[in-house]
Amino acid sequence: MEVTATGLGPWPGEDPVEAARIIRGELGSPHLPFLAELPDRGVGSDALGRTAALLVEMAVDVQPYGWRLVDRPGKDFRRAASALSTDINVLADVAGAEDTRAPELKVQLLGPLSLAAGLHLHNGERALIDYGARRDIADSLAAGVGGYLSRISSAVPGARLVVQVDEPDIAAVLAGTIPTSSGYRTLRAVGGQEVTESWQVVIEALREAGAAEIVVSVPEIEAPIGRIIAAGADGVAVPLRALTTRQWEQLATAVEAGKRIWAGALDVSRGTLPRVADVVESVWRPWHELGLPASSLDSIRVTPSAGLAGHTPATATAVLGRLTQVADGLNQRAHG
């Protein structure tokens, strides 16, 4: 193994052909190209609408307050499903025209807890408020991932499929700080054991559907690293910039257990990209201080600290190029 690079999914612009060509061009082997999410296209192309379109026997539409669970699919559901189909067809065309096929591909989906936080019930309240709704959403998502991965496999035959399960709201779900729809109070915290079990349901379904590697992606604040590993994920994707010593220790434990760390090492929140040497050092220093051997750096994939949808296509492309340089720098550390 070696240190490799990938992106988190969100990408600027509205052209899936251009996105696929850039991503697959910049992230050639051994790096990990991904199926872009293009939220600039509007309703249904954001992570929430895209994942809701995968649900089985649950339909959604858009209300002024957001996505709502409904009895039958409406135009917004069909729009989300159509955009995803377009992206998969484009992926097949772009990959099919390549001289050398990339051996891997990553896709993203929203995890069951953030999905429940983002979807609303008939009465307008968030689905997260209701235990039965939370369970039904996790089960429905698990039922839908098989069809999704089989369509991806058909688009890139023989590629090893990697799945990133995004849980951007997990800290607020566990802390009980998600606001109700009225905004006057907050929803009760979801228990840690239920969170782990929800992830297990989806991870097991992904595994059965042929996913070779599954990581759960979370923000660094209160990142539940231990729960992600307990749920059976192959790794954790997390930004590095505000990790505590205790969180680094949890990551070290995960590495020693054979798990992968997707390190959000490249800070994309500022106007200019950090220097390669500085990014390499930001990973290597805590790694070394924890007593992890240089050879174990190859359990890392480097990513940006956040998705790239808010950047220009030129900046997003430059980020991918910088990531591959960081991976090269870490490989030099790893192999001395």
Side-chain angles (χ1 to χ4, degrees):
M1 285 195 353
E2 58 190 310
V3 182
T4 56
T6 192
L8 292 175
W11 190 260
E14 301 178 26
D15 184 348
V17 177
E18 179 191 36
R21 285 182 177 149
I22 290 171
I23 290 165
R24 294 180 72 82
E26 293 293 329
L27 296 177
S29 186
H31 304 294
L32 180 61
F34 57 94
L35 183 66
E37 293 171 359
L38 302 171
D40 289 352
R41 284 191 298 191
V43 171
S45 289
D46 60 306
L48 181 60
R50 201 173 174 89
T51 305
L54 303 178
L55 296 174
V56 171
E57 295 182 0
M58 294 183 98
V60 293
D61 70 5
V62 175
Q63 296 295 312
Y65 50 75
W67 288 91
R68 179 184 67 164
L69 292 162
V70 291
D71 295 329
R72 60 180 60 86
K75 70 178 191 306
D76 301 309
F77 184 94
R78 290 193 290 272
R79 186 172 167 187
S82 173
L84 181 57
S85 293
T86 296
D87 290 354
I88 294 172
N89 293 337
V90 163
L91 172 67
D93 292 342
V94 173
E98 292 168 348
D99 295 332
T100 309
R101 283 284 179 99
E104 304 184 287
L105 177 77
K106 176 175 72 78
V107 295
Q108 307 81 224
L109 49 87
L110 202 60
L113 282 311
S114 296
L115 195 55
L119 294 176
H120 297 258
L121 301 171
H122 289 275
N123 64 7
E125 194 47 85
R126 295 177 190 272
L128 191 71
I129 198 171
D130 183 270
Y131 170 75
R134 296 195 299 268
R135 187 187 55 210
D136 289 348
I137 286 168
D139 289 345
S140 177
L141 180 59
V145 297
Y148 180 41
L149 290 197
S150 71
R151 291 162 67 196
I152 297 290
S153 287
S154 298
V156 284
R160 178 180 184 269
L161 295 186
V162 179
V163 181
Q164 171 188 318
V165 179
D166 289 320
E167 286 283 13
D169 297 322
I170 196 60
V173 168
L174 285 164
T177 57
I178 299 265
T180 57
S181 57
S182 69
Y184 291 123
R185 56 192 184 87
T186 56
L187 300 179
R188 184 180 300 164
V190 176
Q193 187 58 35
E194 184 189 332
V195 168
T196 303
E197 289 167 3
S198 292
W199 286 340
Q200 282 173 328
V201 166
V202 175
I203 288 168
E204 286 167 11
L206 287 166
R207 196 97 54 210
E208 285 175 20
E213 181 181 338
I214 303 158
V215 302
V216 179
S217 174
V218 291
E220 67 273 41
I221 306 303
E222 302 295 332
I225 294 163
R227 292 211 168 275
I228 292 170
I229 301 306
D234 297 304
V236 179
V238 64
L240 299 188
R241 62 187 168 214
L243 284 184
T244 64
T245 302
R246 181 169 167 274
Q247 287 174 317
W248 270 109
E249 288 166 352
Q250 290 177 314
L251 291 178
T253 300
V255 169
E256 287 165 348
K259 303 296 184 180
R260 298 201 75 154
I261 306 304
W262 289 26
L266 188 66
D267 186 355
V268 293
S269 64
R270 298 178 301 181
T272 56
L273 293 180
R275 297 184 328 134
V276 172
D278 293 341
V279 181
V280 169
E281 188 63 20
S282 74
V283 177
W284 170 243
R285 191 187 317 108
W287 202 265
H288 181 62
E289 288 171 356
L290 285 164
L292 290 166
S295 59
S296 69
L297 283 168
D298 60 12
S299 62
I300 288 179
R301 289 193 198 273
V302 287
T303 77
S305 58
L308 301 174
H311 297 267
T312 64
T315 299
T317 305
V319 167
L320 298 189
R322 186 63 53 92
L323 284 169
T324 62
Q325 294 170 334
V326 170
D328 288 344
L330 285 167
N331 278 319
Q332 289 169 15
R333 287 276 192 184
H335 304 298

